[in-house]
Amino acid sequence: MPEATSDLPWVNKRGDTYYVFWYDEKAQRTERKTLGTKDAAEARRKYAEFLVGEPVTGSPSGLTVSEALDDYLKEHVRVKCVASERREVAIRHLKEFFKTTPLAQVDILLSRRYVQARLNGETSGSGRLIPRKVTKLSTVRYELTTLISAARHACEWKRITQLEIPKIELPEVDTAERPFLTEDEVQMLLLSTSGWLHDWIMIAYYTGARKESVSQLKKSQIDRVLGRINLQPYGRKKTNKRKPVVPIFPEIADIIDRRMKDTPGDYLFEQPCNVYGPFKRACEALGLHGRSNPHILRHSRATNLLHQGESLFMVAKLLGDRSETIDVTYGHASPEHIQFKSVT
């Protein structure tokens, strides 16, 4: 409990009921008043009313987690997110666990239970129990950040008040364990694949681009005269995931020319370009279990460049990230190999 001489009233429990406490200087004693509720969200609202001396606009909305997630999916994810698949998967897992839980009742304890349930395989995103499925902590963290975003969206759309935004604890993720493929493993993967998949891997690896950027790459984004690729499609809404202009590296120049000439239509790869399954099977056939997500090529390119002594600045410029982000995310992967080169 806070010190008895605190200038600001505070909230605490007596049994299951919330009370507001304050120190009466004249009487030189601590006074209290019941808030008449056992619910944390209701207690926060009544505490705010006590502080301002009048009712706070907006009563508990009763908005459930599932309802908030559905609204967020319909009004934001499918409208503003270029690649919504990952968000949609996260929403399925969240809805399966929280169901009709009021959004305002989600707290640190419940978010910890969600983390444990996901790590134990108690939710699959499809209603089925898959106890052996291994879920990465970084995935669970991403899912909880999705719930936070949905809650903020609900507040912006005035479906809940600021006081009803849930208190969610995000699990700590050790970025030092971020997996990657060594240069030898990348070459082994390339030797084991052919056709469009081989070309896709080459372009994705050397450009360091995200899966969607390569899969939906249009011929109009490629400038052979200047020797560069603009990963931001013309007219496409820009997001926080920056899509830089990258060079056409010598290793992929012939592939670019061939696909520009031979692939019909506007895209470099036939649409839809469903690379996840073929890439995963190719990796697992080589024993690269746990490292079979196409996004690993981006991690691998950054890490291998740092191993080769490339500067944080140049790697950040290629990936469209800040140098600080590259340092935190990739720079520790093999620090004994990192030698900084001057940037000219």
Side-chain angles (χ1 to χ4, degrees), residues 210 240-242 244 298 312-313 315-326 329-330:
R210 295 180 176 85
N240 292 332
K241 294 184 177 180
R242 288 174 287 178
R298 180 176 168 88
L312 290 172
F313 174 81
V315 175
K317 190 173 181 180
L318 175 66
L319 268 63
D321 282 327
R322 296 180 302 167
S323 297
E324 295 84 355
T325 303
I326 298 299
T329 308
Y330 304 105

Side-chain angles (χ1 to χ4, degrees), residues 12 17-22 32-37 46 50:
N12 211 332
T17 303
Y18 285 93
Y19 286 78
V20 62
F21 296 83
W22 69 95
R32 73 179 184 183
K33 178 182 178 180
T34 180
L35 294 177
T37 181
K46 290 189 174 184
F50 176 87

Side-chain angles (χ1 to χ4, degrees), residues 110-261:
L110 194 55
S111 60
R112 287 180 180 177
R113 289 176 181 169
Y114 178 77
V115 172
Q116 198 58 51
R118 289 290 286 120
L119 295 180
N120 291 341
E122 295 173 14
T123 67
S124 64
S126 62
R128 295 174 298 155
L129 180 65
I130 308 179
R132 295 184 181 180
K133 184 174 179 61
V134 178
T135 303
K136 295 180 181 178
L137 200 58
S138 58
T139 300
V140 184
R141 181 185 174 92
Y142 177 84
E143 291 166 0
L144 286 174
T145 60
T146 299
L147 180 55
I148 293 173
S149 297
R152 290 173 179 168
H153 176 81
C155 186
E156 290 173 359
W157 284 58
K158 301 187 184 304
R159 295 188 177 107
I160 62 173
T161 66
Q162 188 73 28
L163 292 172
E164 293 176 274
I165 294 180
K167 306 296 183 183
I168 296 174
E169 179 184 76
L170 297 177
E172 293 293 331
V173 178
D174 185 0
T175 57
E177 297 179 359
R178 186 180 295 276
F180 70 99
L181 301 177
T182 66
E183 289 187 84
D184 288 342
E185 288 172 331
V186 172
Q187 292 304 315
M188 183 172 63
L189 180 61
L190 288 168
L191 290 172
S192 69
T193 56
S194 59
W196 73 268
L197 181 58
H198 174 275
D199 293 350
W200 191 97
I201 294 172
M202 284 285 290
I203 295 174
Y205 177 71
Y206 281 99
T207 62
R210 295 180 176 85
K211 176 171 70 72
E212 290 79 11
S213 295
V214 180
S215 297
Q216 299 174 15
L217 187 61
K218 289 186 175 182
K219 296 175 182 178
S220 58
Q221 295 172 244
I222 299 170
D223 189 330
R224 287 300 282 118
V225 176
L226 296 178
R228 63 189 187 184
I229 303 171
N230 186 353
L231 294 175
Q232 176 65 41
Y234 177 77
R236 180 75 62 86
K237 181 178 177 62
K238 292 185 178 181
T239 66
N240 292 332
K241 294 184 177 180
R242 288 174 287 178
K243 297 176 174 60
V245 177
V246 299
I248 297 178
F249 293 91
E251 292 86 350
I252 61 174
D254 289 343
I255 294 175
I256 293 290
D257 289 340
R258 173 166 46 79
R259 298 206 70 85
M260 288 277 288
K261 178 182 177 182

Side-chain angles (χ1 to χ4, degrees), residues 62-82:
L63 186 71
T64 69
V65 171
S66 291
E67 290 170 341
L69 289 168
D70 285 339
D71 292 336
Y72 176 63
L73 177 64
K74 179 178 65 176
E75 297 163 350
H76 178 82
V77 174
R78 289 176 176 167
V79 174
K80 296 185 177 181
C81 295
V82 175

Side-chain angles (χ1 to χ4, degrees), residues 1-6 10 14 20-25 27-32:
M1 177 184 296
E3 295 292 332
T5 56
S6 173
W10 65 93
R14 282 290 184 270
V20 62
F21 296 83
W22 69 95
Y23 184 71
D24 188 329
E25 291 186 356
Q28 294 190 346
R29 67 185 182 190
T30 300
E31 303 286 355
R32 73 179 184 183

